Amino acid sequence: IQVEAGKLRLDVTMAELGIDDNEPRLTEVEKRAAVHDLLKARPGVYHPALYETERMKASRPERHSHEPGTFWYYNNWDFNTLGAIYEQRTQTGIYEDLKRLIAGPLEMQDYQVADGEYVTGADSIHRAYPFRMTARDMARFGLLFLRGGQWNGRQIVPASWVKESVTSYSDAGTRGGYGYLWWITRGGLHLPGVTLPEGSYSARGSGGHYILNIPALD
């Protein structure tokens, strides 16, 4: 929504945005990563991040092991930095905008701004952005994407963004592929023990929360 409004651009680099982190700071190579690299989890920045599990910390690639855009790795630094960029460029809080731009138009029954909580810590200057959402509100968000960004005949999220978001840009192994923060079915691979139709995709939250869309079955 904010990209369409001109507040954000996907081709802008970390250097152009003034994005850095605490020591060890980002190198000039790392700062060449663009916003679209963060969305795809391909920026090649392996700085410590907040809200990581011990497994995530242990499996993080070595710093400077991959150049921007060349390697996929599911990394909280990317997502946390996207949050920082969003708030920097729009001059609004993510939780407030989620309420105003998404929860309100979708008539979500439960979500409140207070359901979001910023997480800070010593590992990184970029906060994490977890929030709570009920199953019925999550279902509305899933249905919004299943309907190409429309809700009750109104285009809430640009259709082009929905299409880009659920396109696979990376091989995620047994989990299929990865789009813009969505997991994407590739060759039927997506979830253990099941073959899903092509075009299926999911959002996966902390604690095992899922939104699974299967357009072939509506």
Side-chain angles (χ1 to χ4, degrees):
I1 294 170
Q2 297 284 27
V3 169
E4 187 177 64
K7 298 286 185 68
L8 291 157
R9 281 176 39 205
L10 303 191
D11 60 347
V12 178
T13 66
M14 301 303 100
E16 292 172 295
L17 291 166
I19 293 294
D20 206 335
D21 212 324
N22 55 19
E23 297 292 345
R25 301 170 78 89
L26 301 193
T27 65
E28 294 307 308
V29 172
E30 290 173 320
K31 289 181 181 180
R32 293 207 302 260
V35 174
H36 65 78
D37 294 317
L38 298 179
L39 284 166
K40 299 172 185 174
R42 300 180 66 95
V45 179
Y46 307 119
H47 190 285
L50 300 177
Y51 214 62
E52 288 185 309
T53 64
E54 291 304 315
R55 181 179 178 181
M56 292 169 75
K57 291 179 182 179
S59 61
R60 187 192 306 123
E62 287 188 21
R63 192 85 182 266
H64 319 304
S65 56
H66 301 282
E67 292 200 3
T70 65
F71 186 77
W72 174 82
Y73 173 69
Y74 184 88
N75 188 9
N76 272 23
W77 192 89
D78 308 347
F79 316 139
N80 298 346
T81 304
L82 280 171
I85 293 168
Y86 183 94
E87 294 199 338
Q88 174 201 105
R89 303 304 294 175
T90 66
Q91 293 296 296
T92 55
I94 279 183
Y95 303 125
E96 287 79 8
D97 263 10
L98 182 55
K99 176 73 173 178
R100 179 175 66 92
L101 299 176
I102 300 293
L106 269 57
E107 299 178 322
M108 286 185 178
Q109 294 168 262
D110 306 303
Y111 176 77
Q112 300 297 327
V113 172
D115 292 329
E117 179 184 4
Y118 293 105
V119 175
T120 60
D123 284 337
S124 173
I125 64 172
H126 301 301
R127 305 181 293 187
Y129 299 80
F131 60 93
R132 295 177 179 273
M133 185 168 282
T134 60
R136 59 187 176 188
D137 283 353
M138 287 171 63
R140 287 172 183 262
F141 190 81
L143 189 58
L144 172 71
F145 267 65
L146 192 64
R147 296 289 179 260
Q150 288 193 5
W151 192 262
N152 286 335
R154 176 186 170 195
Q155 197 72 41
I156 305 299
V157 174
S160 59
W161 181 266
V162 173
K163 184 178 179 180
E164 287 177 35
S165 296
V166 300
T167 297
S168 177
Y169 302 101
S170 303
D171 184 349
T174 58
R175 290 171 290 183
Y178 201 73
Y180 288 174
L181 310 182
W182 290 92
W183 300 89
I184 316 296
T185 296
R186 280 174 54 126
L189 290 176
H190 197 66
L191 297 168
V194 62
T195 300
L196 288 177
E198 290 302 301
S200 304
Y201 54 94
S202 65
R204 308 183 185 185
S206 174
H209 300 91
Y210 281 73
I211 300 173
L212 174 62
N213 277 2
I214 308 177
L217 302 179
D218 193 27

